[in-house]
Amino acid sequence: MLNGKKIVLGITGSIAAYKAAYLCRALIKKGADVQVVITPAGKEFITPVTLSALTHKPVVSEFFTANDGTWHSHVDLGLWADAMLIAPATAATIGKMAHGIADNMLITTYLSMKAPVFVAPAMDLDMYAHPSTQHNLELLKSYGNHIIESASGFLASQLEGKGRMEEPDTIVEILERFFAAQQQLAKKKIIITAGPTYEKLDPVRYISNYSSGKMGFALAEACAERGAEVILISGPVQQKIHHPNIQRIDVESADEMYREALRFFPEANVGILCAAVADYKPEHYAGSKLKRQNGEKMNLSLVPNPDIAAALGKLKKPEQLLVGFALETDNEFVNAQEKLKKKNLDWIVLNSLKDEGAGFQGDTNKITIIDANGNRKDFSLKSKKAVAEDIVEVISEKLNGENDHA
Ligand code: C5P
């Protein structure tokens, strides 16, 4: 998977920089084309001569070469690469990346990078555990970077703990898996509904639910990372998208979500209906703010919203796949299976509110995937990102299996 891949390898001033030579060699052995960018501190730990001998290319460190004035373009490197890997990444570099402090060639290259970026932190255990480092790593994740978590073990300081750079062979495997996954859903179009809907009562009030959109956004990222073109139709949420292959369409009401879903589904290979659509909307929208009625009871008349899943289930062509979600509080399995049948879905993802850590708002979920034949696959409690990977794995297995027979 690494054959022919162009990789910018960023090296910073950590003792683990000595492992960068092995990393470099391992990448080249797999057929990758490696360009090293090293920070001034990195050069104190490993010489550019070693690295340029391994890569057969001059190592880039400064913005220009002093003796002949050659300019090194961080912008060109950003466009050239298929991936950037910063290994080892020190606390200082991570902090600069998090805050855009572009005072060396490596950081300017990072800021210009169009390709996915992988960061393998390496530092002493206390530096790693410091809230500042952890906060910066969270910031990097929120920008869409991939953090290759540090391993635990013996550190150069003679202490033992978390902070060691992950082993070069493992880093290479992570990159290989990433590039392999990128192909899985290539040329597939996937529509995803996410978040809650707002059903307006009057200009200042609405009916809604606690859906955060986290599961739907994690699914959108997971599909895009596997090469799919994603249309994400989202109700009002605080989430952000990172991947360029995701087209986000913001809607407010179930009616708007329904319209957009119907617009995009005919062209899609897969629909994933993750949104917590309000079942009912106010029958009448009050053009001006509803007034309190002096202690009188107020009755709201509600009418049903369109069922997006059921509508797409009716439109579904044999080659299209449809995945729904069921958030149940009782009789979970039977209710979910009934929904799958009624809405003509291929799978339904069940999460029970009885399970701690599952459902709305949180960062974790615990799911069961049920197929149209009633087969069930139970998963353990995981982050919503990992849950998204599991769901997308099931979908891509089916798509790729079918492709084999096509
Ligand atoms: O609300 P219910 O439990 O029936 O939701 C099951 C599935 O149907 C979910 O995937 C949800 O996104 C979808 N749904 C929908 N439109 C609705 C209600 C639910 O797409 N109006």
Side-chain angles (χ1 to χ4, degrees):
M1 286 322 298
L2 287 172
N3 195 18
K5 293 287 182 226
K6 302 188 192 85
I7 295 175
V8 168
L9 174 62
I11 301 175
T12 72
S14 152
I15 182 62
Y18 79 91
K19 291 189 190 167
Y22 183 86
L23 182 56
C24 215
R25 205 171 65 103
L27 290 169
I28 285 165
K29 263 171 94 175
K30 298 268 180 189
D33 189 357
V34 179
Q35 171 64 63
V36 172
V37 179
I38 192 164
T39 61
K43 285 192 282 189
E44 303 288 334
F45 289 88
I46 184 164
T47 79
V49 178
T50 308
L51 298 162
S52 70
L54 287 168
T55 58
H56 309 288
K57 276 195 184 71
V59 166
V60 174
S61 181
E62 312 300 333
F63 292 102
F64 56 89
T65 310
N67 53 5
D68 64 2
T70 313
W71 169 254
H72 299 132
S73 169
H74 49 91
V75 178
D76 287 351
L77 279 176
L79 293 169
W80 173 81
D82 294 310
M84 180 175 191
L85 165 64
I86 303 168
T90 57
T93 289
I94 288 166
K96 287 180 194 178
M97 289 167 73
H99 299 282
I101 301 169
D103 66 350
N104 65 41
M105 185 67 189
L106 190 148
I107 306 291
T108 51
T109 305
Y110 161 69
L111 292 176
S112 305
M113 191 48 61
K114 295 279 185 210
V117 178
F118 293 79
V119 182
M123 64 200 77
D124 203 46
L125 76 166
D126 293 319
M127 292 176 79
Y128 188 74
H130 197 281
S132 157
T133 308
Q134 289 303 315
H135 179 64
N136 286 334
L137 285 170
E138 283 309 314
L139 281 176
L140 291 189
K141 270 191 222 168
S142 77
Y143 307 153
N145 298 299
H146 303 261
I147 308 300
I148 302 176
E149 276 216 23
S150 294
S152 284
F154 185 71
L155 298 162
S157 58
Q158 314 259 314
L159 296 171
E160 256 192 84
K162 196 163 176 176
R164 280 168 67 88
M165 186 177 89
E166 189 46 279
E167 290 307 323
D169 287 335
T170 310
I171 295 178
V172 171
E173 266 172 41
I174 289 170
L175 286 183
E176 279 187 307
R177 250 184 281 135
F178 177 80
F179 283 118
Q182 264 192 340
Q183 302 302 317
Q184 277 178 338
L185 293 176
K187 300 201 179 77
K188 302 290 181 212
K189 200 166 192 170
I190 300 186
I191 76 160
I192 298 175
T193 65
T197 61
Y198 282 8
E199 309 302 328
K200 274 179 148 176
L201 271 168
D202 69 16
V204 293
R205 302 183 182 97
Y206 56 82
I207 298 174
S208 190
N209 56 63
Y210 290 118
S211 170
S212 62
K214 283 179 186 166
M215 197 61 245
F217 276 62
L219 278 161
E221 294 289 339
C223 290
E225 281 193 354
R226 292 179 188 225
E229 188 190 324
V230 179
I231 311 280
L232 175 62
I233 305 166
S234 175
V237 292
Q238 298 297 321
Q239 311 301 320
K240 290 196 173 68
I241 53 163
H242 307 294
H243 203 289
N245 285 8
I246 304 172
Q247 182 188 346
R248 174 173 176 170
I249 294 169
D250 287 309
V251 295
E252 203 174 278
S253 64
D255 282 323
E256 285 167 28
M257 190 175 272
Y258 177 74
R259 244 190 335 266
E260 296 300 328
L262 250 58
R263 180 152 79 99
F264 287 103
F265 186 61
E267 301 296 310
N269 302 93
V270 183
I272 308 178
L273 305 164
C274 198
V277 185
D279 289 328
Y280 291 92
K281 64 185 168 194
E283 186 173 17
H284 302 290
Y285 170 71
S288 51
K289 189 179 165 193
L290 292 166
K291 297 275 182 296
R292 190 203 315 266
Q293 294 178 349
N294 284 335
E296 296 283 304
K297 268 212 282 187
M298 175 185 259
N299 289 312
L300 274 179
S301 176
L302 302 175
V303 291
N305 263 327
D307 189 326
I308 303 167
L312 300 191
K314 280 209 182 91
L315 288 175
K316 191 174 69 153
K317 290 179 253 149
E319 66 277 14
Q320 287 179 305
L321 297 173
L322 207 50
V323 188
F325 275 69
L327 181 66
E328 302 291 334
T329 51
D330 49 72
N331 214 5
E332 296 93 335
F333 186 68
V334 174
N335 284 342
Q337 247 189 322
E338 264 170 28
K339 273 181 196 167
L340 178 143
K341 289 225 166 67
K342 213 171 88 195
K343 302 188 191 212
N344 191 25
L345 307 172
D346 296 279
W347 295 283
I348 195 148
V349 180
L350 167 67
N351 34 131
S352 167
L353 276 187
K354 279 185 191 153
D355 286 322
E356 210 167 306
F360 283 167
Q361 297 282 340
D363 288 320
T364 55
N365 208 356
K366 186 168 181 295
I367 60 159
T368 298
I369 301 180
I370 304 164
D371 72 14
N373 300 320
N375 300 314
R376 60 186 285 174
K377 223 174 174 179
D378 297 297
F379 295 85
S380 57
L381 183 71
K382 294 179 182 188
S383 71
K384 285 190 173 167
K385 190 173 163 18
V387 169
E389 295 290 337
D390 289 337
I391 296 169
V392 175
E393 186 62 37
V394 169
I395 296 169
S396 59
E397 267 172 23
K398 175 85 174 180
L399 283 174
N400 291 324
E402 279 180 2
N403 286 348
D404 289 343
H405 303 297

